[in-house]
Amino acid sequence: MKPDLADLNAFLAVARAGGFREASRTAGVGASTLSETVRRLEASLGVRLLHRTTRSVTPTEAGARLLERLAPALGEVAAALGAVDDLRDGLTGTLRLNVPVSAARLVLPAILPGFLAAHPGITVEIVPEDGFVDVLASGSDAGIRYDERLEQDMIALPIGPRVQRFATAASPDHVARHGRPAHPRDLLDHPCILGRFASGRLTTPWEFERDGEVIRVEPQARLTVGVGGAIDLGVAAAIAGVGVVTLFEDWLRPHLESGALVPLLEDWWQPFPGPFLYHSSRRLVPPPLRAFIDHVRGTP
């Protein structure tokens, strides 16, 4: 007996959620029903797909291989059915975007409200994640990343400001106690606030550029915060005088304008290209994503 789409979708939901009870909340099906469905799928395939313990549910090697191929395949099916629904009922569905926290804060607020107002039948789910992910395997329709973090087989569309800068700043109290650096290398004598990615890599070296000269410095960390959810803690610490912070200029701009932070080495702030909306070239573009792409292209 060949497995049907309902059984495959049940396995996908449980594997992504990491448990039957968790999957039942999003799938709208009882945990016992999901468990029985997955057992039926395993029996039809003749192989165990999930390791089950009292604490966790994880894919076996066979389950992981099936999951890797199944997620994009079912995404294609959903996109094809969505295209039919679009013709029948008007544009509906869910758009799932995987984005870094910086894009959620600095790029999407100028875009999403207008998109949602123009497409009342579409719902949007934003998944904040600063590491690069396979959008298909993660169950997302598209992502936002910077150019150096895009894979070659992705289709990329500029989104948001096309030129951004990293700004360096500190509190007035910090400047009064430690002085104002005249050159990027002077930061080696200042306590600084660094970020750490989920991979463990620090947000160093800090790069500065002026008249074609690029300077890289490895500042000493007085405080290290996780890139993403803890960045605001780093900014708050800088305002409190803990140390020097380097971050997106637009992120720091309200504090620079209020005087809570003062700019340092402003003529050395390095510009860089803005982010891109990217999606796979290997799959049919779902109608909600196509509508979002059209909206981004038409946004000033």
PDB file of all heavy atoms in Angstrom, residues 101-102 105 130 193-196 203 225-237 245-248 251-252:
ATOM      1  N   VAL A 101      16.995  39.294  12.367  1.00  0.00           N
ATOM      2  CA  VAL A 101      16.325  40.243  13.250  1.00  0.00           C
ATOM      3  C   VAL A 101      16.478  41.663  12.729  1.00  0.00           C
ATOM      4  O   VAL A 101      15.557  42.481  12.834  1.00  0.00           O
ATOM      5  CB  VAL A 101      16.880  40.119  14.679  1.00  0.00           C
ATOM      6  CG1 VAL A 101      16.338  41.229  15.575  1.00  0.00           C
ATOM      7  CG2 VAL A 101      16.525  38.757  15.264  1.00  0.00           C
ATOM      8  N   SER A 102      17.627  41.970  12.125  1.00  0.00           N
ATOM      9  CA  SER A 102      17.833  43.326  11.602  1.00  0.00           C
ATOM     10  C   SER A 102      16.818  43.663  10.518  1.00  0.00           C
ATOM     11  O   SER A 102      16.311  44.786  10.446  1.00  0.00           O
ATOM     12  CB  SER A 102      19.255  43.466  11.053  1.00  0.00           C
ATOM     13  OG  SER A 102      19.497  42.528  10.012  1.00  0.00           O
ATOM     14  N   ARG A 105      13.402  44.326  11.951  1.00  0.00           N
ATOM     15  CA  ARG A 105      13.319  45.613  12.627  1.00  0.00           C
ATOM     16  C   ARG A 105      13.455  46.795  11.682  1.00  0.00           C
ATOM     17  O   ARG A 105      12.781  47.817  11.848  1.00  0.00           O
ATOM     18  CB  ARG A 105      14.422  45.692  13.691  1.00  0.00           C
ATOM     19  CG  ARG A 105      14.363  46.966  14.530  1.00  0.00           C
ATOM     20  CD  ARG A 105      15.511  47.023  15.506  1.00  0.00           C
ATOM     21  NE  ARG A 105      15.394  48.185  16.372  1.00  0.00           N
ATOM     22  CZ  ARG A 105      15.146  48.156  17.660  1.00  0.00           C
ATOM     23  NH1 ARG A 105      14.958  46.990  18.259  1.00  0.00           N
ATOM     24  NH2 ARG A 105      15.071  49.250  18.373  1.00  0.00           N
ATOM     25  N   ASP A 130      19.093  34.459  12.332  1.00  0.00           N
ATOM     26  CA  ASP A 130      20.218  35.180  11.753  1.00  0.00           C
ATOM     27  C   ASP A 130      21.178  34.298  10.976  1.00  0.00           C
ATOM     28  O   ASP A 130      21.956  34.797  10.177  1.00  0.00           O
ATOM     29  CB  ASP A 130      20.970  35.943  12.849  1.00  0.00           C
ATOM     30  CG  ASP A 130      20.246  37.229  13.218  1.00  0.00           C
ATOM     31  OD1 ASP A 130      20.457  38.238  12.539  1.00  0.00           O
ATOM     32  OD2 ASP A 130      19.449  37.205  14.158  1.00  0.00           O
ATOM     33  N   ILE A 193      31.267  46.368  23.151  1.00  0.00           N
ATOM     34  CA  ILE A 193      30.144  45.435  23.227  1.00  0.00           C
ATOM     35  C   ILE A 193      30.086  44.677  21.905  1.00  0.00           C
ATOM     36  O   ILE A 193      29.916  45.278  20.839  1.00  0.00           O
ATOM     37  CB  ILE A 193      28.824  46.190  23.485  1.00  0.00           C
ATOM     38  CG1 ILE A 193      28.911  46.924  24.825  1.00  0.00           C
ATOM     39  CG2 ILE A 193      27.639  45.226  23.464  1.00  0.00           C
ATOM     40  CD1 ILE A 193      27.804  47.935  25.037  1.00  0.00           C
ATOM     41  N   LEU A 194      30.245  43.352  21.967  1.00  0.00           N
ATOM     42  CA  LEU A 194      30.294  42.520  20.770  1.00  0.00           C
ATOM     43  C   LEU A 194      29.053  41.641  20.682  1.00  0.00           C
ATOM     44  O   LEU A 194      28.340  41.427  21.668  1.00  0.00           O
ATOM     45  CB  LEU A 194      31.544  41.637  20.786  1.00  0.00           C
ATOM     46  CG  LEU A 194      32.899  42.343  20.915  1.00  0.00           C
ATOM     47  CD1 LEU A 194      34.027  41.314  20.845  1.00  0.00           C
ATOM     48  CD2 LEU A 194      33.076  43.401  19.851  1.00  0.00           C
ATOM     49  N   GLY A 195      28.810  41.114  19.488  1.00  0.00           N
ATOM     50  CA  GLY A 195      27.734  40.156  19.277  1.00  0.00           C
ATOM     51  C   GLY A 195      28.313  38.788  18.965  1.00  0.00           C
ATOM     52  O   GLY A 195      29.439  38.663  18.477  1.00  0.00           O
ATOM     53  N   ARG A 196      27.552  37.762  19.264  1.00  0.00           N
ATOM     54  CA  ARG A 196      27.961  36.394  18.941  1.00  0.00           C
ATOM     55  C   ARG A 196      26.815  35.708  18.196  1.00  0.00           C
ATOM     56  O   ARG A 196      25.677  35.662  18.664  1.00  0.00           O
ATOM     57  CB  ARG A 196      28.318  35.609  20.195  1.00  0.00           C
ATOM     58  CG  ARG A 196      28.935  34.238  19.873  1.00  0.00           C
ATOM     59  CD  ARG A 196      29.203  33.423  21.140  1.00  0.00           C
ATOM     60  NE  ARG A 196      30.194  34.028  22.005  1.00  0.00           N
ATOM     61  CZ  ARG A 196      31.509  33.901  21.859  1.00  0.00           C
ATOM     62  NH1 ARG A 196      31.989  33.217  20.832  1.00  0.00           N
ATOM     63  NH2 ARG A 196      32.338  34.466  22.718  1.00  0.00           N
ATOM     64  N   THR A 203      31.120  38.945  16.205  1.00  0.00           N
ATOM     65  CA  THR A 203      30.952  39.973  15.169  1.00  0.00           C
ATOM     66  C   THR A 203      32.226  40.820  15.062  1.00  0.00           C
ATOM     67  O   THR A 203      32.185  42.048  15.101  1.00  0.00           O
ATOM     68  CB  THR A 203      29.754  40.882  15.497  1.00  0.00           C
ATOM     69  OG1 THR A 203      29.940  41.418  16.824  1.00  0.00           O
ATOM     70  CG2 THR A 203      28.448  40.129  15.424  1.00  0.00           C
ATOM     71  N   VAL A 225      26.802  39.779  23.548  1.00  0.00           N
ATOM     72  CA  VAL A 225      25.376  39.439  23.511  1.00  0.00           C
ATOM     73  C   VAL A 225      25.090  38.619  22.262  1.00  0.00           C
ATOM     74  O   VAL A 225      25.782  38.729  21.246  1.00  0.00           O
ATOM     75  CB  VAL A 225      24.489  40.704  23.527  1.00  0.00           C
ATOM     76  CG1 VAL A 225      24.712  41.492  24.801  1.00  0.00           C
ATOM     77  CG2 VAL A 225      24.741  41.576  22.303  1.00  0.00           C
ATOM     78  N   GLY A 226      24.076  37.783  22.324  1.00  0.00           N
ATOM     79  CA  GLY A 226      23.693  36.985  21.175  1.00  0.00           C
ATOM     80  C   GLY A 226      23.114  37.844  20.071  1.00  0.00           C
ATOM     81  O   GLY A 226      22.270  38.712  20.333  1.00  0.00           O
ATOM     82  N   VAL A 227      23.592  37.608  18.839  1.00  0.00           N
ATOM     83  CA  VAL A 227      23.041  38.333  17.698  1.00  0.00           C
ATOM     84  C   VAL A 227      21.591  37.901  17.505  1.00  0.00           C
ATOM     85  O   VAL A 227      21.279  36.713  17.470  1.00  0.00           O
ATOM     86  CB  VAL A 227      23.865  38.044  16.432  1.00  0.00           C
ATOM     87  CG1 VAL A 227      23.162  38.591  15.191  1.00  0.00           C
ATOM     88  CG2 VAL A 227      25.250  38.643  16.561  1.00  0.00           C
ATOM     89  N   GLY A 228      20.712  38.861  17.409  1.00  0.00           N
ATOM     90  CA  GLY A 228      19.290  38.573  17.290  1.00  0.00           C
ATOM     91  C   GLY A 228      18.541  39.166  18.464  1.00  0.00           C
ATOM     92  O   GLY A 228      18.496  40.376  18.648  1.00  0.00           O
ATOM     93  N   GLY A 229      18.020  38.296  19.310  1.00  0.00           N
ATOM     94  CA  GLY A 229      17.155  38.741  20.379  1.00  0.00           C
ATOM     95  C   GLY A 229      17.820  39.572  21.457  1.00  0.00           C
ATOM     96  O   GLY A 229      17.144  40.320  22.170  1.00  0.00           O
ATOM     97  N   ALA A 230      19.160  39.440  21.618  1.00  0.00           N
ATOM     98  CA  ALA A 230      19.839  40.155  22.701  1.00  0.00           C
ATOM     99  C   ALA A 230      20.507  41.448  22.244  1.00  0.00           C
ATOM    100  O   ALA A 230      21.161  42.117  23.049  1.00  0.00           O
ATOM    101  CB  ALA A 230      20.872  39.245  23.363  1.00  0.00           C
ATOM    102  N   ILE A 231      20.341  41.822  20.979  1.00  0.00           N
ATOM    103  CA  ILE A 231      21.010  43.019  20.482  1.00  0.00           C
ATOM    104  C   ILE A 231      20.535  44.267  21.227  1.00  0.00           C
ATOM    105  O   ILE A 231      21.328  45.163  21.557  1.00  0.00           O
ATOM    106  CB  ILE A 231      20.775  43.183  18.968  1.00  0.00           C
ATOM    107  CG1 ILE A 231      21.585  42.131  18.202  1.00  0.00           C
ATOM    108  CG2 ILE A 231      21.180  44.578  18.501  1.00  0.00           C
ATOM    109  CD1 ILE A 231      23.082  42.263  18.346  1.00  0.00           C
ATOM    110  N   ASP A 232      19.251  44.352  21.516  1.00  0.00           N
ATOM    111  CA  ASP A 232      18.744  45.516  22.233  1.00  0.00           C
ATOM    112  C   ASP A 232      19.363  45.631  23.628  1.00  0.00           C
ATOM    113  O   ASP A 232      19.520  46.741  24.157  1.00  0.00           O
ATOM    114  CB  ASP A 232      17.220  45.477  22.334  1.00  0.00           C
ATOM    115  CG  ASP A 232      16.552  45.976  21.060  1.00  0.00           C
ATOM    116  OD1 ASP A 232      17.158  46.820  20.369  1.00  0.00           O
ATOM    117  OD2 ASP A 232      15.440  45.529  20.754  1.00  0.00           O
ATOM    118  N   LEU A 233      19.711  44.496  24.220  1.00  0.00           N
ATOM    119  CA  LEU A 233      20.408  44.533  25.502  1.00  0.00           C
ATOM    120  C   LEU A 233      21.776  45.193  25.328  1.00  0.00           C
ATOM    121  O   LEU A 233      22.201  46.000  26.159  1.00  0.00           O
ATOM    122  CB  LEU A 233      20.575  43.117  26.057  1.00  0.00           C
ATOM    123  CG  LEU A 233      21.462  42.972  27.297  1.00  0.00           C
ATOM    124  CD1 LEU A 233      20.906  43.775  28.464  1.00  0.00           C
ATOM    125  CD2 LEU A 233      21.607  41.498  27.675  1.00  0.00           C
ATOM    126  N   GLY A 234      22.469  44.869  24.225  1.00  0.00           N
ATOM    127  CA  GLY A 234      23.754  45.495  23.956  1.00  0.00           C
ATOM    128  C   GLY A 234      23.627  46.992  23.764  1.00  0.00           C
ATOM    129  O   GLY A 234      24.468  47.765  24.248  1.00  0.00           O
ATOM    130  N   VAL A 235      22.579  47.420  23.062  1.00  0.00           N
ATOM    131  CA  VAL A 235      22.361  48.853  22.851  1.00  0.00           C
ATOM    132  C   VAL A 235      22.073  49.541  24.183  1.00  0.00           C
ATOM    133  O   VAL A 235      22.604  50.617  24.480  1.00  0.00           O
ATOM    134  CB  VAL A 235      21.209  49.082  21.852  1.00  0.00           C
ATOM    135  CG1 VAL A 235      20.894  50.572  21.733  1.00  0.00           C
ATOM    136  CG2 VAL A 235      21.569  48.507  20.481  1.00  0.00           C
ATOM    137  N   ALA A 236      21.224  48.905  25.008  1.00  0.00           N
ATOM    138  CA  ALA A 236      20.911  49.476  26.319  1.00  0.00           C
ATOM    139  C   ALA A 236      22.166  49.594  27.181  1.00  0.00           C
ATOM    140  O   ALA A 236      22.345  50.581  27.914  1.00  0.00           O
ATOM    141  CB  ALA A 236      19.854  48.629  27.023  1.00  0.00           C
ATOM    142  N   ALA A 237      23.044  48.595  27.082  1.00  0.00           N
ATOM    143  CA  ALA A 237      24.283  48.634  27.856  1.00  0.00           C
ATOM    144  C   ALA A 237      25.179  49.770  27.374  1.00  0.00           C
ATOM    145  O   ALA A 237      25.835  50.446  28.178  1.00  0.00           O
ATOM    146  CB  ALA A 237      25.006  47.296  27.738  1.00  0.00           C
ATOM    147  N   VAL A 245      29.639  50.447  20.982  1.00  0.00           N
ATOM    148  CA  VAL A 245      28.850  49.499  20.208  1.00  0.00           C
ATOM    149  C   VAL A 245      28.962  49.856  18.729  1.00  0.00           C
ATOM    150  O   VAL A 245      29.029  51.040  18.358  1.00  0.00           O
ATOM    151  CB  VAL A 245      27.372  49.502  20.661  1.00  0.00           C
ATOM    152  CG1 VAL A 245      26.706  50.854  20.394  1.00  0.00           C
ATOM    153  CG2 VAL A 245      26.591  48.378  19.997  1.00  0.00           C
ATOM    154  N   THR A 246      29.005  48.845  17.884  1.00  0.00           N
ATOM    155  CA  THR A 246      28.937  49.021  16.430  1.00  0.00           C
ATOM    156  C   THR A 246      27.756  48.215  15.918  1.00  0.00           C
ATOM    157  O   THR A 246      27.655  47.013  16.184  1.00  0.00           O
ATOM    158  CB  THR A 246      30.234  48.569  15.751  1.00  0.00           C
ATOM    159  OG1 THR A 246      31.274  49.491  16.050  1.00  0.00           O
ATOM    160  CG2 THR A 246      30.072  48.516  14.236  1.00  0.00           C
ATOM    161  N   LEU A 247      26.854  48.885  15.202  1.00  0.00           N
ATOM    162  CA  LEU A 247      25.612  48.250  14.767  1.00  0.00           C
ATOM    163  C   LEU A 247      25.084  49.006  13.554  1.00  0.00           C
ATOM    164  O   LEU A 247      25.629  50.046  13.171  1.00  0.00           O
ATOM    165  CB  LEU A 247      24.598  48.286  15.917  1.00  0.00           C
ATOM    166  CG  LEU A 247      23.353  47.391  15.812  1.00  0.00           C
ATOM    167  CD1 LEU A 247      23.720  45.924  15.690  1.00  0.00           C
ATOM    168  CD2 LEU A 247      22.461  47.601  17.041  1.00  0.00           C
ATOM    169  N   PHE A 248      24.019  48.483  12.945  1.00  0.00           N
ATOM    170  CA  PHE A 248      23.399  49.180  11.832  1.00  0.00           C
ATOM    171  C   PHE A 248      23.084  50.624  12.220  1.00  0.00           C
ATOM    172  O   PHE A 248      22.528  50.881  13.289  1.00  0.00           O
ATOM    173  CB  PHE A 248      22.093  48.487  11.427  1.00  0.00           C
ATOM    174  CG  PHE A 248      22.257  47.112  10.847  1.00  0.00           C
ATOM    175  CD1 PHE A 248      22.234  45.990  11.661  1.00  0.00           C
ATOM    176  CD2 PHE A 248      22.447  46.947   9.483  1.00  0.00           C
ATOM    177  CE1 PHE A 248      22.381  44.723  11.127  1.00  0.00           C
ATOM    178  CE2 PHE A 248      22.594  45.685   8.934  1.00  0.00           C
ATOM    179  CZ  PHE A 248      22.570  44.560   9.753  1.00  0.00           C
ATOM    180  N   TRP A 251      19.546  51.295  13.189  1.00  0.00           N
ATOM    181  CA  TRP A 251      19.182  50.742  14.491  1.00  0.00           C
ATOM    182  C   TRP A 251      19.556  51.733  15.602  1.00  0.00           C
ATOM    183  O   TRP A 251      18.821  51.923  16.566  1.00  0.00           O
ATOM    184  CB  TRP A 251      19.905  49.416  14.715  1.00  0.00           C
ATOM    185  CG  TRP A 251      19.294  48.527  15.763  1.00  0.00           C
ATOM    186  CD1 TRP A 251      18.886  48.883  17.009  1.00  0.00           C
ATOM    187  CD2 TRP A 251      19.022  47.124  15.628  1.00  0.00           C
ATOM    188  NE1 TRP A 251      18.382  47.793  17.683  1.00  0.00           N
ATOM    189  CE2 TRP A 251      18.457  46.708  16.867  1.00  0.00           C
ATOM    190  CE3 TRP A 251      19.217  46.186  14.622  1.00  0.00           C
ATOM    191  CZ2 TRP A 251      18.090  45.375  17.095  1.00  0.00           C
ATOM    192  CZ3 TRP A 251      18.851  44.877  14.864  1.00  0.00           C
ATOM    193  CH2 TRP A 251      18.286  44.475  16.072  1.00  0.00           C
ATOM    194  N   LEU A 252      20.712  52.374  15.441  1.00  0.00           N
ATOM    195  CA  LEU A 252      21.188  53.304  16.462  1.00  0.00           C
ATOM    196  C   LEU A 252      20.655  54.724  16.270  1.00  0.00           C
ATOM    197  O   LEU A 252      20.768  55.549  17.183  1.00  0.00           O
ATOM    198  CB  LEU A 252      22.716  53.344  16.456  1.00  0.00           C
ATOM    199  CG  LEU A 252      23.445  52.045  16.821  1.00  0.00           C
ATOM    200  CD1 LEU A 252      24.944  52.277  16.809  1.00  0.00           C
ATOM    201  CD2 LEU A 252      22.990  51.515  18.173  1.00  0.00           C
TER     202      LEU A 252
END
